[in-house]
């Protein structure tokens, strides 16, 4: 059985290599299905799409939204070929490609909530309120990163009122059912008058990256990842040129 397993893996690798070589010889064409969670890579999404289309005009891009209740499901069942999603992704059969951006965390609270008047909220204070939960097959470690079950000091965080989509999450917050950590770009892409975003302290930044099935890597997927790397490199260069006195500091993308 081990022989057949090894032979199957070798065949898949050979088949992928042949497909990549063939695509390189004839140019990238066909259809690439790209999934995106939330606002994807924010302002960089359109830049990434333009970069890919400019270099591979014969390949059609089809963009599909995925939801936070099951961020990896469409990728696993083959509905999308590559995914723009929030990390962490720690799946043995998935490849994590270029990290596109990193952004700070905010706490979304309803207007009039006691936290809404603060300049910032520490993670420890999540133990004092109810936090909206997500219902679905998202990996436990993924949701634990975005909405932890305990504070840094070990106090339990009460996650309740399960929702399945981000719009359901915002509606639950606006209706006073709880609060939720989100990311800074929510203030630009999902702003609404009945929700206030407050900066969070002690919570790690949220990264966005490309992810794809390792066994499903094709020349199209690789070309899209290459386009992402070029976009990231371009912005790194711009940041370095714009901050000549900070070349020794770490720049997060």
């Amino acid at each position: 059985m081990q022989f057949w397993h090894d032979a199957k893996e070798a065949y898949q690798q050979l088949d992928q290599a042949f497909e990549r070589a063939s695509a390189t010889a004839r140019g990238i064409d066909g259809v690439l299905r790209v999934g995106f969670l939330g606002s994807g890579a924010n302002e960089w999404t359109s830049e990434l799409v333009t970069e890919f289309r400019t270099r591979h005009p014969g390949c059609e891009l089809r963009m599909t939204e995925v939801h936070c209740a099951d961020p990896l499901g469409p990728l696993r069942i083959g509905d999308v070929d590559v995914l723009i999603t929030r990390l962490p992704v720690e799946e043995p059969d998935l490849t994590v490609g270029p990290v596109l951006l990193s952004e700070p965390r905010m706490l979304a609270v309803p207007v009039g909530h006691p936290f809404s008047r603060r300049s910032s909220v520490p993670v420890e204070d999540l133990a004092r309120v109810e936090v909206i939960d997500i219902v679905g097959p998202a990996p436990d470690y993924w949701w634990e990163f975005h909405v932890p079950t305990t504070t840094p000091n070990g106090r339990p965080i009460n996650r309740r009122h399960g929702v399945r989509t981000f719009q359901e999450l915002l509606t639950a917050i606006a209706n006073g059912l709880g609060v939720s950590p989100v990311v800074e770009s929510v203030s630009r892409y999902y702003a609404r008058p009945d929700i206030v975003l407050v900066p969070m302290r002690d919570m790690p930044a949220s990264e966005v990256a490309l992810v794809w099935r390792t066994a499903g890597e094709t020349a199209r997927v690789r070309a899209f990842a290459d386009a992402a790397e070029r976009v990231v490199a371009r912005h790194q260069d711009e940041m370095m040129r714009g901050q000549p006195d900070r070349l020794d500091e770490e720049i997060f993308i």
Side-chain angles (χ1 to χ4, degrees):
M1 292 296 295
Q2 184 61 42
F3 169 79
W4 291 112
H5 177 73
D6 294 343
K8 181 180 179 181
E9 285 191 350
Y11 175 79
Q12 288 177 336
Q13 293 173 0
L14 182 62
D15 186 59
Q16 292 169 21
F18 177 77
E19 199 280 337
R20 288 194 296 268
S22 298
T24 300
R26 68 176 185 271
I28 304 297
D29 56 13
V31 176
L32 180 66
R33 300 163 301 172
V34 180
F36 63 95
L37 178 68
S39 56
N42 299 340
E43 292 86 350
W44 292 17
T45 304
S46 58
E47 184 176 348
L48 171 56
V49 168
T50 298
E51 176 75 19
F52 180 84
R53 285 175 171 166
T54 299
R55 291 178 177 267
H56 308 290
C59 184
E60 178 187 353
L61 281 184
R62 295 179 184 171
M63 308 292 289
T64 301
E65 183 181 9
V66 303
H67 297 292
C68 50
D70 189 17
L72 303 179
L75 182 63
R76 287 198 177 283
I77 65 176
D79 283 352
V80 299
D81 305 306
V82 62
L83 182 64
I84 304 173
T85 191
R86 296 274 165 184
L87 297 180
V89 173
E90 302 169 356
E91 307 295 304
D93 60 329
L94 300 182
T95 295
V96 177
V99 174
L100 296 165
L101 57 88
S102 176
E103 57 182 319
R105 310 290 282 281
M106 310 284 283
L107 187 66
V109 303
V111 168
H113 191 279
F115 289 174
S116 67
R117 296 183 291 274
R118 292 188 180 186
S119 59
S120 64
V121 177
V123 179
E124 202 64 34
D125 277 0
L126 292 183
R128 301 173 50 195
V129 295
E130 290 189 351
V131 178
I132 305 298
D133 199 5
I134 288 288
V135 178
D140 289 341
Y141 69 82
W142 188 85
W143 192 234
E144 179 69 25
F145 176 85
H146 293 284
V147 183
T149 53
T150 60
T151 70
N153 289 335
R155 299 167 65 194
I157 295 174
N158 187 16
R159 299 197 308 200
R160 298 185 62 189
H161 308 293
V163 298
R164 293 183 179 276
T165 70
F166 193 67
Q167 289 297 338
E168 289 181 5
L169 174 71
L170 295 179
T171 299
I173 294 170
N175 289 339
L177 298 180
V179 304
S180 181
V182 294
V183 292
E184 185 276 332
S185 58
V186 169
S187 64
R188 304 193 302 277
Y189 290 93
Y190 298 95
R192 45 189 295 171
D194 48 6
I195 290 178
V196 176
L197 299 184
V198 185
M200 292 202 71
R201 303 202 304 268
D202 312 320
M203 212 166 189
S206 175
E207 294 182 326
V208 173
L210 295 188
V211 178
W212 59 85
R213 298 183 307 280
T214 303
E217 181 176 326
T218 63
R220 287 186 290 270
V221 170
R222 187 64 256 168
F224 194 73
D226 290 343
E229 290 173 349
R230 286 190 294 271
V231 170
V232 170
R234 188 154 60 234
H235 282 274
Q236 284 179 326
D237 290 342
E238 291 173 357
M239 291 178 67
M240 296 288 276
R241 288 196 299 270
Q243 302 178 42
D245 297 329
R246 300 180 57 201
L247 297 184
D248 294 332
E249 295 185 14
E250 188 170 12
I251 297 177
F252 293 90
I253 297 297

